[in-house]
């Protein structure tokens, strides 16, 4: 049976490489639509957890995962020789930055090595990891062509399709978020469209893998630049003694031509602080300086320092200083209602506070412990009034919805609110805003 027919009849075996925030929900979605899915990961512990029907990704309910493991539609493995048994391969591995802030595509290269060792004719390979324009054509394609045994668009199919998952978003998920696809040949696009069209409501074709690669970078650069703009306005409004959140809410009543973005303690997560640098790195190779990206990076990167100065102000009001004060950091995940700490601005703020000699604790219902340098912190229970009373100040970095902010306000002398979490509290004496 040819590959297109196999995919359309859901008889194709779907392979997913990388079972993280992106790969595991994707594997589950294909399994729920009755494809047989083999999920690959180098992390034996993750594979064991999946096989034991335990989900470590909040958006993936263990019950749904367990049902697919039980009925045999989903299996997980560290055995990459099984790649020869799959018909499609979606690559969902990390793409971080190096210390020099250059792209680190080593995880993609490593996955590619495993694919080339174990591939066979008639497979569709789709890169989903966020990366710089040209990765599919300049990194994947030459390796897949090296032996000269298979022809792209005839013997195998290669495409790029960016993952757009927004962890913790109750409204948009894999199914109702359109999937963009750019293939090496029209047959590659057709194949990838058939695959993803069987799990998502809408597939959007673009003319090349490069366009699809840039689509994702544009989306995240758009966010980074707009957040940079409101962060700059927040700093300005602070000087002008104007409430920036009130300004944004009022501006957002305009029914056209405006989209609200909100200031905060800095960027976090695996995407927005990182992806724009993939684009500016590539642009630099063509002698082009991506000025908006750099400027937004500078403004957003300065926010943890601004937060530090607001904490110093909150202490100053009490005739105290940072050194030796007891500070409670409330919410450390990079955004509301998730357990992901990657690139979280809380880590920057905590590092700055440690450098100033403050004594730190944190509370986050989603993050039981965190390591900062050589110190292992454990989340405290903010329900314990006596414990809370010992702090000089709290700083809300992440506004998780299940935290009891009124209780915090009752007990603590000052709270620095970087997220406007306390907007509905009429009495403002204890609150220092961003
Ligand atoms: N997390 C998000 O919200 C999000 C959203 C859109 C796009 N992305 C992009 O998707 C990609 C994956 O991100 P993520 O958040 O899922 O990462 P993650 O760290 O949660 O998961 C990556 C998984 O890949 C595994 N892995 C690493 N190298 C491997 C290899 N050679 N073979 C097999 N498995 C390997 C890791 O063990 C891990 O389980 C990145 O490029 C990211 O930028 C992420």
């Amino acid at each position: 049976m040819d590959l297109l027919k196999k995919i359309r009849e859901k008889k194709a075996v779907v392979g997913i490489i990388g079972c993280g925030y992106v790969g595991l929900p994707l594997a589950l979605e294909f399994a729920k639509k009755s494809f047989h899915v083999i999920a690959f990961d180098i992390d034996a512990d993750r594979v064991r957890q999946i096989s034991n029907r335990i989900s470590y990704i909040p958006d993936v309910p263990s019950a749904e995962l367990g049902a697919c493991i039980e009925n045999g539609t989903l299996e997980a493995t560290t055995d990459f020789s099984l790649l020869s048994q799959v018909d499609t391969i979606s690559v969902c591995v990390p793409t971080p930055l190096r210390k020099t802030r250059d792209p680190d595509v080593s995880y993609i290269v490593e996955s590619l090595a495993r694919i080339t060792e174990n591939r066979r004719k008639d497979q569709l390979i789709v890169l989903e990891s966020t990366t710089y324009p040209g990765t599919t054509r300049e990194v994947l394609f030459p390796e897949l062509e090296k032996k000269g045994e298979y022809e792209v668009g005839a013997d195998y199919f290669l495409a790029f399709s960016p993952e757009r998952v927004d962890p913790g978003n109750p409204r948009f998920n894999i199914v109702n978020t359109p999937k963009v696809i750019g293939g090496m040949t029209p047959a590659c696009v057709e194949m990838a469209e058939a695959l993803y069209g069987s799990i998502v409501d809408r597939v959007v074709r673009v003319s090349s893998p490069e366009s699809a690669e840039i689509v994702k970078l544009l989306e995240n650069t758009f966010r980074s630049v707009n957040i940079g703009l409101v962060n700059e306005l927040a700093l300005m409004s602070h000087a002008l003694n104007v409430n920036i959140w009130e300004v944004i809410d009022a501006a957002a009543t305009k029914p056209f031509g405006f989209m609200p973005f909100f200031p905060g303690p800095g960027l976090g997560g695996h995407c927005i602080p990182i992806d724009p640098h993939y684009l500016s790195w590539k642009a630099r190779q063509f002698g082009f300086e991506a000025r908006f990206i750099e400027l937004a990076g500078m403004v957003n990167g300065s926010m943890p320092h601004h937060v530090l100065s607001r904490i110093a102000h909150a202490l100053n009001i009490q005739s105290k200083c940072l050194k030796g004060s007891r500070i409670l950091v409330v919410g450390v995940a990079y955004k509301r209602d998730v357990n992901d700490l990657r690139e979280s601005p809380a880590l920057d703020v905590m590092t700055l506070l440690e450098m100033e000699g403050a004594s730190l604790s944190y509370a986050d219902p989603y993050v039981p412990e965190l390591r900062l340098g050589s110190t292992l912190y454990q989340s405290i229970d903010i329900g314990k009034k006596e414990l809370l009373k010992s702090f000089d100040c709290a700083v809300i970095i992440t506004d998780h919805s299940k935290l009891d902010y009124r209780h915090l306000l009752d007990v603590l002398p000052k709270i620095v609110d970087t997220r406007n979490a306390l907007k509905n509290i009429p009495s403002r004496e204890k609150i220092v805003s961003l």
Side-chain angles (χ1 to χ4, degrees):
M1 194 191 289
D2 76 14
L3 181 56
L4 196 57
K5 193 158 183 269
K6 262 189 187 177
I7 293 173
R8 287 190 176 141
E9 295 181 4
K10 298 189 176 170
K11 292 192 175 128
V13 179
V14 170
I16 307 286
I17 300 186
C19 302
Y21 286 91
V22 167
L24 192 58
L26 188 66
L28 180 66
E29 207 54 56
F30 278 116
K32 277 165 43 185
K33 297 277 162 51
S34 303
F35 283 93
H36 179 197
V37 180
I38 306 181
F40 299 84
D41 206 293
I42 48 170
D43 184 334
D45 191 46
R46 288 198 148 183
V47 166
R48 214 174 0 257
Q49 290 192 62
I50 299 171
S51 307
N52 289 335
R53 301 155 202 203
I54 300 166
S55 170
Y56 44 86
I57 302 288
D59 288 344
V60 172
S62 290
E64 287 186 17
L65 183 75
C68 291
I69 299 283
E70 196 150 43
N71 68 24
T73 47
L74 177 62
E75 60 181 290
T77 183
T78 53
D79 178 4
F80 286 77
S81 71
L82 295 181
L83 279 171
S84 63
Q85 295 182 15
V86 303
D87 297 295
T88 70
I89 302 172
S90 301
V91 180
C92 309
V93 295
T95 42
L97 287 175
R98 296 188 188 284
K99 282 210 170 78
T100 51
R101 302 198 82 67
D102 287 348
D104 175 2
V105 293
S106 60
Y107 296 89
I108 295 180
V109 171
E110 166 66 18
S111 309
L112 187 58
R114 308 222 176 195
I115 293 170
T116 52
E117 279 160 24
N118 296 293
R119 69 194 287 220
R120 59 161 168 78
K121 199 169 174 271
D122 293 328
Q123 285 180 315
L124 164 67
I125 299 160
V126 184
L127 180 61
E128 294 217 14
S129 300
T130 307
T131 185
Y132 59 81
T135 309
T136 308
R137 195 181 301 275
E138 294 160 16
V139 179
L140 275 74
F141 182 58
E143 275 306 306
L144 294 167
E145 291 283 304
K146 215 172 196 170
K147 285 193 182 156
E149 49 184 348
Y150 301 129
E151 188 189 335
V152 72
D155 302 318
Y156 79 97
F157 306 88
L158 177 60
F160 183 84
S161 180
E163 182 47 61
R164 292 164 137 180
V165 68
D166 181 17
N169 189 325
R171 187 160 161 226
F172 291 107
N173 50 45
I174 291 182
V175 176
N176 63 8
T177 304
K179 193 99 174 90
V180 173
I181 291 171
M184 291 292 292
T185 70
C188 297
V189 183
E190 191 181 10
M191 212 60 83
E193 185 171 19
L195 178 69
Y196 290 104
S198 51
I199 59 163
V200 304
D201 293 342
R202 185 171 165 223
V203 169
V204 180
R205 286 176 175 225
V206 290
S207 64
S208 66
E210 290 78 7
S211 287
E213 287 159 343
I214 296 200
V215 165
K216 174 75 188 178
L217 299 179
L218 168 62
E219 289 165 6
N220 284 349
T221 300
F222 172 79
R223 287 191 60 75
S224 166
V225 167
N226 279 290
I227 293 169
L229 175 66
V230 289
N231 274 334
E232 189 170 70
L233 270 159
L235 300 179
M236 235 185 266
S237 305
H238 173 65
L240 296 168
N241 201 19
V242 168
N243 181 336
I244 182 67
W245 278 281
E246 182 189 66
V247 172
I248 295 168
D249 286 348
T253 59
K254 186 180 178 190
F256 50 89
F258 184 82
M259 180 187 279
F261 285 84
F262 298 96
L267 296 181
H270 188 27
C271 293
I272 299 169
I274 291 173
D275 300 350
H277 294 284
Y278 269 69
L279 189 52
S280 54
W281 176 83
K282 187 69 181 181
R284 226 173 288 129
Q285 293 179 356
F286 294 86
F288 194 93
E289 281 302 324
R291 286 170 294 172
F292 271 110
I293 293 176
E294 296 306 324
L295 184 59
M298 275 166 59
V299 175
N300 293 328
S302 74
M303 293 311 287
H305 296 269
H306 177 66
V307 174
L308 182 74
S309 74
R310 300 305 286 150
I311 299 169
H313 174 69
L315 292 170
N316 200 33
I317 298 168
Q318 305 172 64
S319 303
K320 291 179 179 168
C321 64
L322 285 165
K323 190 168 180 167
S325 285
R326 281 183 49 75
I327 313 287
L328 175 65
V329 178
V330 179
V332 293
Y334 85 87
K335 71 170 182 176
R336 184 191 299 161
D337 299 345
V338 302
N339 65 352
D340 194 347
L341 257 184
R342 287 178 294 180
E343 310 289 324
S344 172
L347 303 174
D348 296 325
V349 172
M350 288 175 79
T351 303
L352 291 171
L353 285 166
E354 267 188 357
M355 282 162 63
E356 294 295 336
S359 163
L360 289 184
S361 295
Y362 84 92
D364 190 313
Y366 294 92
V367 184
E369 59 181 36
L370 78 82
R371 180 169 288 285
L372 202 64
S374 57
T375 312
L376 184 68
Y377 289 95
Q378 276 170 344
S379 177
I380 67 153
D381 177 0
I382 58 166
K384 291 189 178 150
K385 217 169 181 173
E386 284 312 308
L387 184 59
L388 268 196
K389 275 186 183 162
S390 67
F391 292 100
D392 300 301
C393 174
V395 53
I396 299 170
I397 299 290
T398 310
D399 51 344
H400 291 307
S401 17
K402 60 172 141 178
L403 285 171
D404 183 350
Y405 297 104
R406 280 185 189 272
H407 169 66
L408 284 174
L409 260 180
D410 280 348
V411 186
L412 286 153
K414 285 280 175 219
I415 300 187
V416 176
D417 183 6
T418 70
R419 297 282 189 182
N420 206 25
L422 308 175
K423 66 177 170 198
N424 294 326
I425 308 285
S427 140
R428 309 298 295 173
E429 299 91 67
K430 286 186 170 186
I431 302 167
V432 172
S433 62
L434 189 71

